[in-house]
């Protein structure tokens, strides 16, 4: 993974010194936490990549349930109990699952409560009444009390008795759902209490569904561990997390209120959405750590290249100068697909004969960046060597560090989400009246 930004070199030295003076003690604190295996801090997620017991627990629980003939894994969860595993799954091929019917098992992630989706799931599950080992349902909820998750679970369980024996629960150590799972002898994996939803992709929340999908989660963890080691031991200014946090913070303080993650492979779109939650909930805050009302935040958006070049790039290049962009791409072509030399419709588009699909999208990415340079629009460029488990692990861990650093620079709590409770309370009240 390469992380670069021309915008970094434009940050004044006194500002960089200031960022360093805030973040250096924080990194020392993280090092202590890491060396002492302190699982009781909100930052404890940095212990996950080197904790082999997490994957062992996943494998053990799967010994209790037959997955040899599995065709569909239905994973119910929302927010931090959804985006992480879905981001990795989609990046490694899930986006194109529809075009590979032979690829099994398929994972169906179910987040919101949608009648159409539930109706279609009913149809799908009806086909498994005489073949229950073909399906598995995993419910993921740290609190165990998230309305959408529990509604989806109850609707499916009430219609299909056989699912009671094809159910796994992933929930917080002290949640009521965990207690109930134990009392009903449902296989259970717990999420450490101090690891929040949006930082939980490398806990059982991500590992279980990804392992079932056949993804090499050991490599994912190895990639993340590399980032932990680098961030805690390298000179801070040489780490991707520092560079990225510095550029984002600098631009935010200069009125760039939007951070656009511009992925140049459609399979990375869900990663962009995972990051959108990470940024939205971590630094979108009413109060700072001193209790001052600050209404802090940067609006995270996701764009997909080249789809959105034909949609919103007019706005990006010509509209308000309020956006910092992070381009995300890979330098390795996933498949050697070429435009033929002998075109069926010649002369419609120049200079495409014999070029690979990768070369064309790469030219479009570089052309877009050139246009950004010409317009003086700031960006960070992340280039993965390839879209692999290792690189995705590195990327997720780098972004989680970046967000912790950003929150520290902004004097915010990166780990709570008090305002999310506001709509939840209102919903609970309304449900009483229906
Ligand atoms: O990041 C968070 O904490 C939230 O997005 C939660 O993950 C989300 O609300 C789902 O919560 P739970 O895992 O408790 O069902």
């Amino acid at each position: 993974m390469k992380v670069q930004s021309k915008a970094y070199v434009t940050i004044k030295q006194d500002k960089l010194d200031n960022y360093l003076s805030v973040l250096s003690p924080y990194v020392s604190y993280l090092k202590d936490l890491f060396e002492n295996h302190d699982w009781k801090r909100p930052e404890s997620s940095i212990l996950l990549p080197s904790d082999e017991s997490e994957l062992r627990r996943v494998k053990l629980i799967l010994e209790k349930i037959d997955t040899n003939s599995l065709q569909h894994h239905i994973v119910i969860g929302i927010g931090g109990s959804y985006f992480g595993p879905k981001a990795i799954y989609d990046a490694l091929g899930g986006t194109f699952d529809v075009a590979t019917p032979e690829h099994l098992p398929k994972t169906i992630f179910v987040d919101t409560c949608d009648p159409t989706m539930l109706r279609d799931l009913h149809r799908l599950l009806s086909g498994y009444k005489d073949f229950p080992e073909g399906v598995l349902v995993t419910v993921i909820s740290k609190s165990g009390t998230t309305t959408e998750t529990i509604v989806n679970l109850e609707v499916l369980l009430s219609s299909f008795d056989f699912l009671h024996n094809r159910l796994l629960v992933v929930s917080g150590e002290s949640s009521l759902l965990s207690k109930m799972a134990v009392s009903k002898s449902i296989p259970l994996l717990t999420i450490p209490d101090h690891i929040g939803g949006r930082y939980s992709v490398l806990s059982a929340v991500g590992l279980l569904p990804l392992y079932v999908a056949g993804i090499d989660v050991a490599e994912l963890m190895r990639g993340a561990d590399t980032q932990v080691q680098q961030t805690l031991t390298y000179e801070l200014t040489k780490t991707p997390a520092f560079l990225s946090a510095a550029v984002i913070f600098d631009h935010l303080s200069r009125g760039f209120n939007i951070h656009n993650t511009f992925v140049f492979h459609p399979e990375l779109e869900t990663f962009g959405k995972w990051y959108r939650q990470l940024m939205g909930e971590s630094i979108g805050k009413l109060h700072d750590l001193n209790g001052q009302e600050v209404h802090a935040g940067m609006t995270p958006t996701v764009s997909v290249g080249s789809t959105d070049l034909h949609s919103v790039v007019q706005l990006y290049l010509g509209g308000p100068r309020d956006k910092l962009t992070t381009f995300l791409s890979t330098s390795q072509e996933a498949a050697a697909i070429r435009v033929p030399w002998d075109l069926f419709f010649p002369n419609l588009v120049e200079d495409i004969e014999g070029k690979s699909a990768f070369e064309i999208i790469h030219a479009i990415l570089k052309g877009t960046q050139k246009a950004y340079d010409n317009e003086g629009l700031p960006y960070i460029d992340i280039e993965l060597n390839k879209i692999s488990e290792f690189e995705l692990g590195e990327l997720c861990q780098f972004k989680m560090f970046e967000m912790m650093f950003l929150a520290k620079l902004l004097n915010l709590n990166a780990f709570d989400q008090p305002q999310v409770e506001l709509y939840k309370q209102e919903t609970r009240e309304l449900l009483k009246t229906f």
Side-chain angles (χ1 to χ4, degrees):
M1 182 180 68
K2 260 195 291 188
V3 183
Q4 315 176 83
S5 177
K6 288 179 189 156
Y8 181 75
V9 290
T10 65
I11 304 174
K12 295 207 170 71
Q13 192 55 47
D14 59 329
K15 281 187 174 179
L16 285 175
D17 291 344
N18 182 31
Y19 305 162
L20 261 181
S21 71
V22 175
L23 293 178
S24 296
Y26 187 52
V27 173
S28 302
Y29 155 83
L30 292 176
K31 250 188 239 172
D32 279 354
L33 177 164
F34 185 78
E35 279 157 16
N36 296 319
H37 291 273
D38 185 349
W39 285 97
K40 297 217 175 319
R41 308 278 157 196
E43 292 92 346
S44 298
S45 62
I46 67 169
L47 294 168
L48 290 168
S50 52
D51 178 34
E52 289 170 7
S53 68
E54 199 69 6
L55 182 53
R56 262 201 308 275
R57 289 196 308 133
V58 167
K59 289 181 180 169
L60 265 178
I61 205 108
L62 287 168
E63 282 172 11
K64 297 185 187 170
I65 203 146
D66 177 11
T67 52
N68 292 326
S69 325
L70 194 62
Q71 296 192 340
H72 282 104
H73 185 198
I74 297 172
V75 178
I76 304 173
I78 199 163
S81 295
Y82 160 88
F83 279 119
K86 184 157 166 55
I88 307 291
Y89 182 81
D90 285 356
L92 294 169
T95 302
F96 304 118
D97 250 5
V98 279
T100 54
E102 73 287 358
H103 170 253
L104 294 173
K106 297 217 177 294
T107 308
I108 301 177
F109 291 91
V110 178
D111 65 339
T112 188
C113 247
D114 182 60
T116 311
M117 178 208 49
L118 284 168
R119 180 202 61 202
D120 291 351
L121 276 181
H122 264 81
R123 281 204 198 118
L124 180 84
L125 287 167
S126 301
Y128 283 108
K129 277 184 181 152
D130 298 324
F131 174 43
E133 56 284 12
V135 73
L136 178 67
V137 173
T138 295
V139 60
I140 308 178
S141 177
K142 169 102 187 286
S143 64
T145 56
T146 299
T147 305
E148 296 91 324
T149 304
I150 300 305
V151 167
N152 285 331
L153 177 67
E154 289 294 345
V155 166
L156 296 184
L157 288 181
S158 66
S159 306
F160 302 101
D161 279 353
F162 72 88
L163 286 183
H164 298 189
N165 297 320
R166 302 295 299 163
L167 177 64
L168 288 174
V169 173
V170 180
S171 190
E173 278 164 347
S174 48
S175 82
L176 192 53
L177 176 61
S178 290
K179 290 193 181 88
M180 288 180 175
V182 171
S183 73
K184 290 179 188 286
S185 304
I186 306 288
L188 166 74
L189 271 172
T190 53
I191 310 165
D193 274 342
H194 293 274
I195 292 180
R198 55 192 178 273
Y199 294 88
S200 68
V201 56
L202 301 169
S203 73
V205 169
L207 298 192
L208 178 96
L210 295 173
Y211 184 77
V212 171
I215 286 167
D216 188 346
V217 290
E219 270 298 284
L220 184 77
M221 298 295 255
R222 212 168 63 75
D225 190 39
T226 306
Q227 262 310 295
V228 173
Q229 301 305 332
Q230 285 185 9
T231 310
L232 298 186
T233 59
Y234 279 22
E235 192 185 313
L236 196 50
T237 52
K238 302 275 183 290
T239 64
F242 180 84
L243 179 144
S244 194
V247 173
I248 296 172
F249 181 74
D250 180 64
H251 283 79
L252 179 58
S253 47
R254 292 194 286 118
F256 289 77
N257 295 318
I258 296 170
H259 183 208
N260 184 28
T261 301
F262 209 149
V263 303
F264 260 70
H265 301 274
E267 60 268 43
L268 293 173
E269 182 174 5
T270 316
F271 170 81
K273 291 185 176 171
W274 170 82
Y275 178 76
R276 191 176 60 172
Q277 186 203 4
L278 185 68
M279 175 170 256
E281 287 189 348
S282 298
I283 64 163
K285 295 286 150 78
L286 176 55
H287 294 112
D288 68 9
L289 287 170
N290 304 328
Q292 297 286 339
E293 205 166 298
V294 285
H295 292 281
M298 191 171 198
T299 303
T301 57
V302 187
S303 305
V304 180
S306 63
T307 310
D308 289 327
L309 296 178
H310 300 263
S311 156
V312 275
V313 95
Q314 164 61 33
L315 167 75
Y316 298 164
L317 290 171
R321 308 228 139 191
D322 53 1
K323 295 167 210 63
L324 170 70
T325 299
T326 291
F327 288 103
L328 177 58
S329 65
T330 157
S331 55
Q332 197 185 77
E333 78 181 337
I337 306 290
R338 285 192 177 270
V339 181
W341 283 103
D342 190 10
L343 298 175
F344 190 67
F345 290 115
N347 304 325
L348 289 181
V349 181
E350 284 177 11
D351 299 321
I352 57 169
E353 295 92 331
K355 305 236 161 73
S356 72
F358 176 79
E359 283 166 338
I360 288 167
I361 199 69
H362 194 66
I364 295 173
L365 166 68
K366 291 298 156 195
T368 306
Q369 291 183 342
K370 193 97 206 323
Y372 271 59
D373 286 337
N374 295 342
E375 295 306 310
L377 298 175
Y379 63 88
I380 300 166
D381 187 24
I382 305 176
E383 193 178 81
L384 305 179
N385 294 322
K386 60 180 186 169
I387 302 178
S388 66
E389 283 90 340
F390 182 88
E391 297 266 330
L392 290 167
E394 264 197 303
L395 179 65
C396 286
Q397 191 61 61
F398 145 47
K399 284 284 165 182
M400 289 188 278
F401 273 123
E402 174 212 277
M403 205 48 63
M404 293 178 206
F405 288 1
L406 210 42
K408 188 50 69 184
L409 290 168
L410 287 159
N411 193 33
L412 300 169
N413 182 342
F415 306 100
D416 66 356
Q417 55 284 325
Q419 271 64 45
V420 177
E421 226 10 72
L422 299 179
Y423 93 86
K424 289 188 179 173
Q425 272 163 11
E426 296 298 336
T427 305
R428 280 194 286 267
E429 286 309 311
L430 278 173
L431 280 175
K432 284 183 193 149
T433 65
F434 285 178

